[in-house]
Amino acid sequence: MKFPVFRVFRRRMSSSLPPPPPLSSLRGTVQPRDAYILLHTPPINPHRPRGPESQVHKRLQVAALKWGGDVENYSATVFSKNGRLEIPQVTLSNMEQVEERIRQFAIRDYHSSSAEDSGIGNEPDEVHILICTHMARDCRGGVRGGAFARTVHEEIVQRGLFLGDGEKKVKLRLGEVGHVGGHQYAPNVLIYPFGDWYGVLAPEQVSTILDELSVAVESCGVRPLGKTERPLLTSVKDHWRGQMGMSKEEQASLAQSLGLGQKQQWREDVDVESKD
């Protein structure tokens, strides 16, 4: 009996992406927001365009709401000037309560005693590295962001899941997120709860970035940065796009006062390996 034999070839394809923009164009490109909400959803194929929900899913959702049930049940993480808030359950039936909890967390006075007593946002210290790897909106996020995320993951596997030493050791989390705006600046890297956004980074910078994060955890703690503070990462300060809670004018003004974005960096586009 004969069986067909298929040979697997590996080839390298140039991503054919446009060159990254100059670093001077990154300053003040983060949309001013008081809070960022991350909804934790199951992984999806980034190459597959989002299509309409199935009729079965829609029908089941309508039926479930009639008897108080929910088809969708997620968790969420919220970052604001007050730190990090974990919401273990987000459904259609508790949306109003979730909305109010997030609103309080985003606008409350950090030094208010009533806010401290509420327990809102009193989470264990963690550092979150969030990378846009969305392919459908713009392939630059998937290609450049994906390569950067893989390198961060490899470094974390080698180093372990914690930053810092001794009592200030904190957990490091890596997350791949959807479109955050500014796909031309890919890879877009967000570091929370500090609130800094960086763009046009390269995988070879990952090791230095993690080294600096370890130092930052020990020197300034794990907290949102103030509007007048320097960007967290000195080695990639020229890649700073902006910071959570700042207007675009404030971001641009701070960058100009610190002389950020003057350095020019040219790098080769990421090659993508595929099988056929």
Side-chain angles (χ1 to χ4, degrees):
M1 184 177 293
K2 295 183 178 180
F3 295 90
V5 177
F6 298 93
R7 297 182 62 188
V8 178
F9 296 90
R10 294 182 66 86
R11 67 179 180 180
R12 297 186 67 84
M13 301 185 303
S14 171
S15 56
S16 301
L17 301 178
L23 298 183
S24 58
S25 67
L26 271 67
R27 296 176 292 184
T29 57
V30 175
Q31 293 291 337
R33 297 289 185 268
D34 292 326
Y36 286 91
I37 305 168
L38 304 173
L39 188 65
H40 303 293
T41 59
I44 61 173
N45 183 346
H47 299 276
R48 179 183 177 184
R50 182 175 177 84
E53 298 180 49
S54 71
Q55 293 301 315
V56 172
H57 183 277
K58 290 181 179 179
R59 180 68 178 270
L60 183 59
Q61 183 71 72
V62 171
L65 289 175
K66 292 180 180 179
W67 44 263
D70 266 310
V71 174
E72 295 177 294
N73 189 342
Y74 302 112
S75 61
T77 301
V78 184
F79 293 101
S80 79
K81 64 181 180 181
N82 296 313
R84 186 180 100 253
L85 171 67
E86 295 291 346
I87 302 178
Q89 188 176 56
V90 181
T91 67
L92 289 176
S93 58
N94 76 342
M95 191 62 66
E96 290 186 2
Q97 295 93 323
V98 168
E99 180 183 352
E100 178 60 21
R101 193 177 184 195
I102 293 175
R103 189 188 68 82
Q104 290 184 22
F105 179 65
I107 67 174
R108 72 180 175 89
D109 182 3
Y110 184 81
H111 300 289
S112 167
S113 58
S114 60
E116 293 292 333
D117 295 339
S118 70
I120 295 179
N122 296 333
E123 309 288 356
D125 284 343
E126 291 180 352
V127 173
H128 291 239
I129 300 178
L130 308 173
I131 304 169
C132 174
T133 58
H134 195 223
M135 179 71 79
R137 181 68 176 268
D138 188 293
C139 63
R140 284 174 286 189
V143 175
R144 291 174 178 155
F148 195 87
R150 287 191 294 273
T151 304
V152 174
H153 180 264
E154 291 168 0
E155 282 283 337
I156 292 176
V157 169
Q158 293 179 6
R159 294 167 177 248
L161 293 174
F162 292 89
L163 293 170
D165 295 312
E167 296 181 357
K168 292 187 177 181
K169 213 168 187 180
V170 300
K171 182 175 288 187
L172 175 63
R173 292 187 179 274
L174 169 65
E176 296 185 35
V177 299
H179 182 64
V180 297
H183 43 257
Q184 66 270 33
Y185 307 126
N188 285 295
V189 180
L190 292 55
I191 301 181
Y192 282 96
F194 302 102
D196 275 348
W197 288 38
Y198 297 87
V200 196
L201 294 170
E204 54 266 27
Q205 295 171 303
V206 168
S207 181
T208 302
I209 288 173
L210 293 183
D211 288 342
E212 281 200 85
L213 278 176
S214 290
V215 174
V217 165
E218 297 182 17
S219 61
C220 67
V222 181
R223 59 176 177 80
L225 296 177
K227 291 185 177 183
T228 59
E229 292 188 82
R230 301 175 67 90
L232 184 70
L233 304 177
T234 303
S235 65
V236 291
K237 64 181 185 299
D238 290 299
H239 298 256
W240 187 73
R241 288 188 55 189
Q243 184 190 112
M244 175 184 65
M246 298 177 68
S247 68
K248 289 189 174 184
E249 292 74 18
E250 289 172 330
Q251 296 170 36
S253 176
L254 179 61
Q256 184 175 9
S257 67
L258 297 175
L260 305 183
Q262 304 302 318
K263 175 184 174 183
Q264 297 297 319
Q265 174 174 321
W266 301 97
R267 61 182 177 84
E268 296 293 329
D269 278 339
V270 177
D271 284 337
V272 181
E273 289 191 353
S274 67
K275 294 182 180 181
D276 62 359

